[in-house]
Amino acid sequence: MANKPVLESKNITKRFPGVLANDQVSMHLDEGEILAILGENGAGKTTLLNIIYGLYSQDEGDIFINGELTTINNPQDAIKKGIGMVHQHFMLVPVFTVTENMILGAEVSTAGVLNLKEARRRILEISNAYGLKVDPDAIVEELPVGIQQRVEILKALFRDARILILDEPTAVLTPQEIEELFDVMRELKSKGVSIIFISHKLKEVLAIADRIMVMRRGAVVGETFPKDTNQSDLANMMVGREVLLRVEKEEAHPKEPVFEIVDLSIQEPGQLHTVKNVSLTVLEGEILGIAGVQGNGQTELVEGITGLRSYNQGSILIDGKPMPVEKPRALVENGMAHIPEDRQKHGLVLPYPLTDNLVLCSYYEHPFVKGIVRNEDAIEEHAIKLIDAFDIRTPSPYIDAGNLSGGNQQKLIVARELSRDVKIVIANQPTRGLDVGSIEYIHRTLVEMRDRGVGILLVSAELDEIMSLSDRIAVIYEGEIVAILDAKDATREELGILMAGSRKHLSEEATA
Amino acid sequence: MNLINYLKSKKMLVPLALGLVAFVIVIIAYSINGQVTQAVLASTIRQSTPILLGALCGILCERSGVVNIGIEGQMLLSAFMGFMVNVWTGNLFVAVLAGMATGALLGLLHAFMSVTLKLDQIIGGSVINILALGLTGFFYTAGLTTKGKLQPISLGFLAEIPLVGPVLFRNPPITFVAILLVFILQFVLFKTTWGLRTRAVGEHPRAADTLGINVFTTRYINVIMGGAIAGLAGAFLTLEAVGSFERNMTNGRGFVALAVMIFGKWSPLGAWGAALLFGFANAVQTQIQFAGTINIPHQFIGMLPYLLTIIVLAGFVGRARPPAADGEPYEKE
Ligand SMILES: Nc1ncnc2c1ncn2[C@@H]1O[C@H](COP(=O)(O)OP(=O)(O)OP(=O)(O)O)[C@@H](O)[C@H]1O
Ligand SMILES: [Mg+2]
C-alpha cells in the first residue's frame, strides 16, 4: 500500500459567532508520524482537533481516514475509528477514581456489572508498559495536575488509539515528565501510532516532531521540518513578526520588604506536611522565583499565601502588616495580585463575559459602581482597554470567558491581575499555555512592574522562565525551602541538584 | 481502633452508630411495651415508603444532573391516575402500572423541558407541580373508593419472628418493592456501567461526552425511570395506604423526599436511613397524639418529625456535595 495518510482534512472551515476559527484548513497525518501544530493563541488549533474528534462539526470540508471519506458526528465515531484525544483542559471527573475515569465509556464489565479488578489489572499493565505510573485507586481531584495529565494520556491508550491527538499535553508537565512523555510518544510511534502534537514550546516541537505545521488566524500559513528551521524562524512564522525569545532586563534595585512569609506550615489532617516552616521575603522591586519539581508543595504554598487555603502555623505580612488567614479579599485590598495555577478553577468565572471577569476583584469599587449599581460604561471601557493592551483575541468584550481559546483565557487573568495598582504579585505558572508572542509581552510587563517597585513572587515549572526572570531563586523541595540563591550565580545544574532534594544551607547573604 | 478507622474510611461509622443507638432503643422499648413498639415500627415503615420512593426518584435525576422539584406533582398525578384506573378496571395491578406510567410520562415531560429545551429546571419542576394540582383538582370526584387495596404479604417463616417479622416481613407489595429498590439502585449506581455513566454525566457532562457517552439520552432515561418510581409512590398512597383519593393528598411528601435525598447524600442507602428516621418521628408523633395524655397543642407535636430529622441529620451527618453539574443544562458547543 502506497503511503496513504491515516488522517486527512480537506478545506475545513468553522465559524463561531464573530470568528472564523478555521479557514479552509487542509492537513494530513501519515502512519507513525508525529505532526506538530504550532500557532498563536486563538489560531484555531483546538477547534480543528475538536472537529476531527467529533466534538464540533465543521461548516465546510471533509475528513478522510485511511483515504476514506468519513463523517464523524460525535466522539464515539472518532473513538471507533481509533482516534484518541487528550484535551487541553482536563476531561476528568474530579470525584471519580483513576480507574473509574479510565474505563468510563469503555467499561470492563460482565452483563453491565463493572469488573473493577480486571480494569485495575489492565490499567496497571498499560501504565507499566509505558512507564506512566499512577495509583488506580486515587481520587483524581486529589492528584497534582501533572499526574492528572498522565491519567488523560493513559485514558487514550486504554482505548487502543491508533491516532493520538495531544492538545498541549506538556503545558502542565515538569521537564522530567516531558522527557517521559516524549519517550512514550516515541514508543507509540514505533508501534505505528500516529500523533498530532500541539505545544507552544518551540524547543519541544523541534525535538519531537517529524513535521511542523503552522497556523495563524484560522488558516495554515506554512509547513516545515525540524531540520530546516530553528526557534526564531518558527516564532516568526507563528506570530508574523520578530519575537524576542530572551528576557531583557536591567539590574534590579530592590528596596524594603513588601511581602513576608514567616514560618508557614500547612498540613492536612492525617497527612504529612505539604508546606513546612517556609519563610520568604520579597522585596520591593525584585522578582523572587520559586523553583522546584511540581508537587513539592508549591500549589499548597501559593494557595495558603493567597487566601485560598488555611494554614496551621505561621503568618504572612504585606508592608509589615499581618494578614488574616483565608481572606482573599483582604489580601486583594492590601495590594496583592494572584495569577493562579489552574485558570479555569481559580482564575475565571467561565460563564461570565470578559467584561465581568476583568473586574472580578474590583467590581465594587470606583469607578465600576455608581452608588449601588454597576457603572456599565466604565466596565466596558476597562475591558476594551485591557483586551487591546494584552492582545486578547475575542470577537467582543461580551462573549463568555469559556468561549475563549485556552491561551486567551490565561491572558484574560494576567490582564486583570497585572493592570491593577498592586504591591505584590503572586504569579503561579503565569505563561502556561501562551504563545511566544504573549510570553514575551507578559515577561516584559512583569519586569516593568518590578522596575516600578512592585515585588514579584514567581512560581514556575519552567526552569528557563525562573532563570531568565528572577533576581533571586528559592528552591522548594518536599515543602521546604532548601536554598535561596542569587540568580546571577545560579546554574542550571546546581538548581537541578537542589530540586532533586540535596540540601544546602541557606546562604546568609542571599536571604538578607 | 483499627476497626473504627476502617469504618470511618468506608464512611460507615456514623450510620452504624446511629443504627446501634436505634437498635438499643427499640429493644428497651419492646421490653417495656411490645404492642406499642411494634405499632410504631410498622408505622415507621409505612410512613417512610412514599418518601423513600420520592427520594429514589430524586437521586436518579440529580445523579445524572437534572434537578427535579416536580416529584410532588409526579406523585400526586400518579396517585390520581392509579386510583381512577382502579375504579374503572377494578384491577389493582393494572392500576399500579398506570400510576407508574403516569410518573414516567411526567418524567419525560420534565426531561424534555430541562434537557432538550434547557428551561430552568426549577421552573420545569414547578410546572409539573402546578399541572398535577390543577388536573387532579379539576377531575376529582368525591366519594369514590378503590376496589380493594394492596394487601400485606407474609414472607413465610420470616414473618413469624417476633417484632422483626411483622414489621419487616409482613408488608404490602409496594413497601417490599421500595426496600428492594434501595438495594437495586445502590448496586446499579455504584457497581454497574450504567451507574458509572450516570454519575459521570451528573458530574462532568463534557468529559462524558468526549468519551462517547450520550449525555442527553442518559439524562432522559434516568429522569423517566425516576418518574416511574415517583409514580410508584403515588400508587402507594391511593392503592396501598389509603384506598381513596383526596385533594392534594401528597401533602408535601415530594418535597420532604428531596430533603431526605440530600440528607442521604444522594445515595439510596443513605436516603433509606433518612426516610426511616423521618418515618419514625412521624410514627411517634401519631402515637403521642393518639395517646392524648400529653397536653401540648397538636401543631407542635406535628412539628416533631421535621425538627427531629433536622437535628439528627444536620448534627450527625456531615456536609454532602451535590453532583457538580446538578441542574445545569448541557450545551454541546
Ligand atoms: N465554543 C466556542 N464558541 C465561540 N468561540 C469559540 C469557541 N471555541 C473557540 N472559539 C474561538 O475560536 C478561535 C479559535 O480558538 P481555538 O481554541 O481553536 O484556539 P487555539 O489555537 O487552540 O488557541 P490556544 O493556543 O490559546 O489554545 C478563538 O478566537 C476562540 O475564541
Ligand atoms: Mg487550544
Side-chain angles (χ1 to χ4, degrees), chain B residues 116-150:
Chain B
T116 305
L117 299 183
K118 301 183 173 61
L119 285 185
D120 186 299
Q121 298 175 10
I122 301 297
I123 294 178
S126 304
V127 166
I128 289 179
N129 287 335
I130 295 167
L131 183 78
L133 203 58
L135 283 179
T136 54
F138 183 75
F139 288 109
Y140 171 71
T141 333
L144 291 178
T145 49
T146 55
K147 309 213 166 75
K149 267 192 347 180
L150 291 165

Side-chain angles (χ1 to χ4, degrees), chain A residues 62-82:
Chain A
D62 297 314
I63 293 171
F64 298 82
I65 290 178
N66 296 323
E68 266 174 55
L69 180 64
T70 310
T71 31
I72 298 175
N73 290 320
N74 50 46
Q76 200 156 19
D77 291 349
I79 293 169
K80 270 196 211 123
K81 296 281 171 195

Side-chain angles (χ1 to χ4, degrees), chain A residues 40-47 88-89 167-168 198 200 343 404-407 433:
Chain A
E40 47 183 355
N41 297 126
K45 306 177 296 292
T46 301
T47 304
Q88 184 170 5
H89 298 115
D167 193 355
E168 292 193 39
I198 295 185
H200 288 292
R343 56 179 165 242
L404 290 186
S405 81

Side-chain angles (χ1 to χ4, degrees), chain B residues 40-52:
Chain B
V40 166
L41 290 186
S43 147
T44 297
I45 299 272
R46 272 200 310 277
Q47 304 260 19
S48 68
T49 299
I51 289 162
L52 170 62

Side-chain angles (χ1 to χ4, degrees), chain A residues 14 53 56-57 75-76 79 87 91-93 95-96 100 104-105 107 109 112-114 141 159, chain B residues 187 190-194 196-197 199-200 203-204 206-213 321 332-333:
Chain A
K14 175 76 184 174
Y53 192 64
Y56 293 168
S57 48
Q76 200 156 19
I79 293 169
H87 299 266
M91 290 297 165
L92 297 169
V93 182
V95 296
F96 278 13
E100 288 176 321
L104 185 61
E107 292 84 356
S109 63
V113 179
L114 298 173
E141 67 182 341
R159 286 163 178 71
Chain B
F187 184 80
F190 297 102
K191 299 278 185 238
T192 67
T193 300
W194 175 257
L196 187 74
R197 293 182 174 195
R199 286 182 292 132
E203 289 287 346
H204 195 334
R206 179 156 291 268
D209 192 6
T210 61
L211 295 171
I213 293 166
R321 190 161 71 166
K332 248 185 127 61
E333 282 189 15

Side-chain angles (χ1 to χ4, degrees), chain B residues 26-40 163 287:
Chain B
V26 165
I27 296 289
I28 296 172
Y30 190 62
S31 63
I32 297 172
N33 189 335
Q35 217 177 347
V36 170
T37 308
Q38 184 171 323
V40 166
L163 187 61
Q287 196 65 40

